[in-house]
Amino acid sequence: MNSEAVSALIAKSPSLKAAKPKLEAMEPGAYVVHRSWGFGQIKSYDEAAQRLIIDFKGKRAHPMDPAFCITTMDVLPEKHLLVRKETDTKRVNELIAENPAQLVVEALQAYPNNAATAIELEITLAQVIGEEKFKKWWAAAKKLVAKDPRVAVPEKKTECYVLRETPVSAEDEILEQFNGTRSARRRIALAEELMVATGRKDVKADLSVVLKGVADAVKDSNQLDASERLYGAAVRDDLAKAVGAENNFAPTQAAIIGNVRDLVAISEKIPVQFQSRFLELIQETHPIEARDILFTLLKTSQGKFTTECINFLVEQGHADELAATLKRWQTEQNLRAPVLLWIVKNRHSKKFAKLLNDLITPRLLSAIFFAIDYEALQASSARRIPLADILSEDTDLISDLLSTADPETARDLANTLMLNQGFEELTKKSLLARFIKIFPKIQSLVAADAESKEEQLLVSRSSYDRKREEYETIVSKKIPENSRAIATAREHGDLKENSEYKMAKQDQQVLMAQKTLLERELGRARVTDFKEASIEQVSAGTVVEVKTAAGGATTTYTILGAWDGDPEKHIISYKTAIGAALLGRKPGETVKVKLGGNDEEYTVVKITRFADKSAV
């Protein structure tokens, strides 16, 4: 906009006077970012209509009121990355591919005071690089930027990336952050970073100060739990070694893990990079009990720690004991999901062939199904179950595990699959197809399931709600309670003599059968108010007066939904013997019904509608 156009706008709206510089910047060719429309370029100004004509992506030649744009649109400087992406595309693309740190530096140069919050910078970079590629690119770029002495990297997203006037080395920046924080956790993390980054001799002198700070944090801080204190002690001892200091600090690493009962809780939180050293430390601190401790840790292990435990046991010469223990856990149904996951992932490994050969059996598939079901029932929200994922993704796994199965065992396992809570219905059918490929007779399971879904059940709203409430109670209360009971019973040891475990498992079978039956029935249910019932013949939703052939006594039956019934009020389901026999009959027709071993004969006298009766 030229000065005359701006003056005309201000004359019309004097309140715009303070925004004169911004209005003057809204000239043809300028690039802008609008709060709603995003990135665009001003193409022209329509003086007659007093409208800016702006090309936005996906919305060309869009007219906008300049007065409205003052608060909703920013005019970008020529150095802004979004502008340069349009005007100097080749250079920007080169920086994206070859020099991410320089790209960030040049991005910051376009901001006031050469500073931008992490959120602002990431939004701009995402638009320049593209949303699809940005996440992966930024994960790698951040590491390079953190090492660049020209950029101060914030700890939080709400703080700013700052382009320094004087470059600062990575070591000096870490020292500055270390001295500026009181957080024990942060000091330990920064000390570790400093050891990795240290390359200059003059910085090593500062390590003594860092060592004292870390030692004090490990000894006195109440912010740290046992696993954090142990890791801090390890960093402290590495620092002492690096500066050649005498290591007489307390508490020692051995003292922190001195109580065997604390080790499981510590193992759950130790950093991945410290897991191997943690196991070595246990071996040194508890040489006599080490083997038993390691098996206990393996039993409750998660993720990479499972692999570390197994590798360590093998390296320490416990391979035969490990094989026997895994087999015993399988028999006792004590194999947890992480260990099962490791077994199936390594079943073809030559290194572990002797260890795993006897485990690759149908019984292992049963253990996998149990672990998946247990994890699904314990989950408070819908989350991925890695063991279920690998069962779906590894197309050879089921055939490997069923290679020694007989048809009856395979059918039992297929039934277990169909009752499992850890799979969606489509996934169950896909997995069942792999069973059928090996044992074609299992196809009958699919046929039976399809047949059960063919017939719909007419039900009243009240009976449907009761049935649904029964289902919710089983799923949300009874099954989780049973799962906890099984888990508790498993901890009591030998399952062969464990009556609590056997009873809990029996209860589980009953509950899962009830749940499956309710799911099938609810899936077939069609709720009705019976207003469509006809009085021409008996149907669900009719009130029928019948006369017995023997004594001529009359009785009135109300025939309702599949789950309705109140004998005292003569309310019966259309699925009962009498209800089914009367369906389709007209007044004057006679039917025979077998009740209690006797044949009873009824004649239909009169038919009325239940809906009409209930409306009165």
Side-chain angles (χ1 to χ4, degrees):
M1 295 173 64
N2 57 39
S3 57
E4 292 179 359
V6 172
S7 297
L9 276 177
I10 294 173
K12 183 179 179 181
S13 302
S15 61
L16 297 177
K17 187 174 183 180
K20 184 178 179 181
K22 189 167 186 178
L23 289 169
E24 289 176 340
M26 296 179 189
E27 57 185 13
Y31 288 93
V32 297
V33 170
H34 190 271
R35 189 180 300 165
S36 300
W37 300 109
F39 182 73
Q41 184 181 28
I42 298 173
K43 305 306 290 184
S44 62
Y45 178 66
D46 185 342
E47 292 190 19
Q50 293 188 326
R51 292 290 185 270
L52 291 166
I53 307 302
I54 307 176
D55 279 354
F56 293 105
K57 290 185 178 179
K59 197 169 186 68
R60 300 290 180 182
H62 183 55
M64 299 196 76
D65 184 349
F68 178 72
C69 290
I70 289 171
T71 57
T72 61
M73 188 174 76
D74 291 322
V75 178
L76 301 177
E78 292 181 5
K79 291 183 179 180
H80 196 282
L81 274 190
L82 286 174
V83 176
R84 292 183 58 205
K85 179 71 174 176
E86 299 292 325
T87 60
D88 192 7
T89 306
K90 183 179 178 181
R91 165 68 176 168
V92 171
N93 286 340
E94 286 176 354
L95 291 176
I96 291 171
E98 300 171 12
N99 198 343
Q102 180 62 30
L103 183 72
V104 171
V105 167
E106 294 185 17
L108 291 172
Q109 289 172 342
Y111 285 96
N113 302 317
N114 292 342
T117 66
I119 296 173
E120 290 175 327
L121 184 62
E122 287 180 19
I123 289 173
T124 297
L125 290 171
Q127 292 180 74
V128 171
I129 292 156
E131 295 288 348
E132 293 181 1
K133 298 179 180 179
F134 173 70
K135 189 173 182 180
K136 184 177 180 181
W137 179 89
W138 184 232
K142 276 195 295 187
K143 296 176 182 178
L144 298 173
V145 173
K147 296 177 181 178
D148 196 302
R150 297 171 295 174
V151 182
V153 178
E155 291 184 29
K156 302 176 182 177
K157 277 200 170 187
T158 51
E159 297 175 351
C160 288
Y161 279 86
V162 179
L163 189 61
R164 295 189 177 102
E165 292 183 8
T166 304
V168 175
S169 69
E171 295 96 325
D172 289 339
E173 184 175 2
I174 295 171
L175 280 169
E176 183 182 328
Q177 292 177 16
F178 183 91
N179 294 325
T181 183
R182 294 184 179 181
S183 167
R185 295 186 187 91
R186 182 70 179 146
R187 283 196 159 196
I188 291 168
L190 288 168
E192 185 179 29
E193 285 183 36
L194 189 59
M195 281 192 292
V196 173
T198 298
R200 306 196 326 262
K201 292 181 180 180
D202 58 321
V203 175
K204 291 188 177 181
D206 294 313
L207 289 179
S208 297
V209 177
V210 175
L211 172 60
K212 184 179 185 307
V214 173
D216 290 344
V218 171
K219 182 180 179 182
D220 301 323
S221 177
N222 58 8
Q223 300 174 359
L224 305 177
D225 60 29
S227 61
E228 292 168 330
R229 198 175 303 281
L230 174 63
Y231 187 60
V235 172
R236 176 201 66 197
D237 294 348
D238 289 346
L239 272 170
K241 184 177 180 181
V243 300
E246 185 178 350
N247 191 346
N248 55 1
F249 299 104
T252 64
Q253 295 182 57
I256 295 171
I257 67 164
N259 191 336
V260 173
R261 288 178 296 181
D262 296 336
L263 294 178
V264 170
I266 292 174
S267 71
E268 292 173 352
K269 292 186 176 181
I270 56 172
V272 171
Q273 67 272 22
F274 187 63
Q275 289 173 350
S276 179
R277 285 180 62 182
F278 175 61
L279 295 175
E280 292 171 359
L281 184 61
I282 290 172
Q283 182 75 34
E284 295 169 7
T285 308
H286 304 280
I288 298 175
E289 305 164 273
R291 186 201 63 180
D292 293 338
I293 292 172
L294 292 171
F295 277 115
T296 300
L297 294 179
L298 172 61
K299 191 174 185 180
T300 59
S301 64
Q302 299 278 344
K304 190 174 183 296
F305 190 54
T306 299
T307 302
E308 290 288 352
C309 286
I310 291 172
N311 284 335
F312 192 79
L313 282 164
V314 172
E315 289 165 5
Q316 295 300 313
H318 301 307
D320 291 341
E321 294 159 290
L322 178 58
T325 300
L326 291 176
K327 197 169 182 179
R328 175 167 56 82
W329 286 351
Q330 179 178 263
T331 302
E332 297 173 350
Q333 292 197 6
N334 262 329
L335 278 175
R336 304 293 176 87
V339 178
L340 286 166
L341 192 63
W342 182 89
I343 290 172
V344 298
K345 283 184 175 180
N346 290 276
R347 68 187 189 278
H348 297 308
S349 167
K350 292 182 180 179
K351 178 181 177 181
F352 300 110
K354 186 178 178 181
L355 183 68
L356 300 180
N357 277 346
D358 292 341
L359 291 174
I360 309 304
T361 65
R363 177 172 281 179
L364 187 69
L365 183 56
S366 177
I368 290 171
F369 283 150
F370 178 84
I372 291 170
D373 203 39
Y374 179 80
E375 190 169 344
L377 292 170
Q378 294 301 307
S380 57
S381 60
R383 66 181 185 188
R384 286 182 61 253
I385 300 177
L387 201 54
D389 289 344
I390 197 169
L391 200 64
S392 300
E393 295 164 4
D394 188 335
T395 55
D396 296 326
L397 180 53
I398 286 178
S399 59
D400 287 349
L401 297 177
L402 291 179
S403 61
T404 59
D406 55 56
E408 185 177 349
T409 300
R411 184 178 180 84
D412 289 343
L413 287 169
N415 272 309
T416 303
L417 166 64
M418 298 307 286
L419 296 174
N420 200 288
Q421 296 300 291
F423 302 100
E424 296 179 351
E425 288 302 316
L426 286 176
T427 304
K428 285 182 182 179
K429 290 180 180 178
S430 174
L431 295 176
L432 189 60
R434 299 178 195 175
F435 277 79
I436 294 169
K437 187 175 181 180
I438 307 168
F439 298 94
K441 290 185 179 180
I442 294 176
Q443 179 70 41
S444 61
L445 280 178
V446 180
D449 184 56
E451 184 180 344
S452 69
K453 292 181 179 179
E454 286 179 1
E455 181 190 358
Q456 284 192 329
L457 296 174
L458 293 177
V459 300
S460 63
R461 168 56 64 185
S462 59
S463 68
Y464 180 86
D465 291 342
R466 286 195 300 271
K467 190 77 73 171
R468 186 74 199 180
E469 184 178 351
E470 181 184 352
Y471 174 78
E472 293 296 340
T473 300
I474 288 175
V475 172
S476 62
K477 184 179 180 181
K478 292 184 179 181
I479 290 178
E481 286 176 352
N482 173 256
S483 297
R484 287 191 288 272
I486 290 173
T488 301
R490 287 170 65 179
E491 299 299 333
H492 292 167
D494 187 1
L495 300 185
K496 294 179 182 178
E497 304 297 329
N498 191 333
S499 59
E500 290 181 18
Y501 178 79
K502 292 178 181 177
M503 290 175 64
K505 286 294 289 180
Q506 289 171 359
D507 290 343
Q508 182 192 49
Q509 292 175 355
V510 172
L511 287 170
M512 296 307 291
Q514 289 175 342
K515 174 181 168 294
T516 301
L517 178 61
L518 285 169
E519 282 179 344
R520 288 178 177 174
E521 288 184 338
L522 288 167
R524 294 163 57 198
R526 181 168 73 84
V527 178
T528 178
D529 55 10
F530 303 108
K531 289 182 178 179
E532 297 179 1
S534 170
I535 60 172
E536 292 182 3
Q537 61 183 26
V538 180
S539 62
T542 56
V543 180
V544 188
E545 184 181 331
V546 297
K547 182 173 63 175
T548 61
T554 60
T555 305
T556 300
Y557 291 105
T558 300
I559 302 176
L560 295 180
W563 303 329
D564 291 301
D566 188 340
E568 292 183 2
K569 296 180 181 179
H570 289 172
I571 296 174
I572 61 175
S573 163
Y574 74 89
K575 301 290 285 184
T576 61
I578 297 177
L582 289 171
L583 288 181
R585 302 297 180 175
K586 297 179 180 180
E589 292 187 354
T590 300
V591 297
K592 287 184 179 181
V593 184
K594 196 173 189 68
L595 296 173
N598 299 318
D599 289 330
E600 299 286 347
E601 193 171 290
Y602 297 94
T603 301
V604 177
V605 177
K606 182 181 178 182
I607 303 173
T608 56
R609 293 202 319 157
F610 168 74
D612 296 338
K613 180 182 175 182
S614 60
V616 176

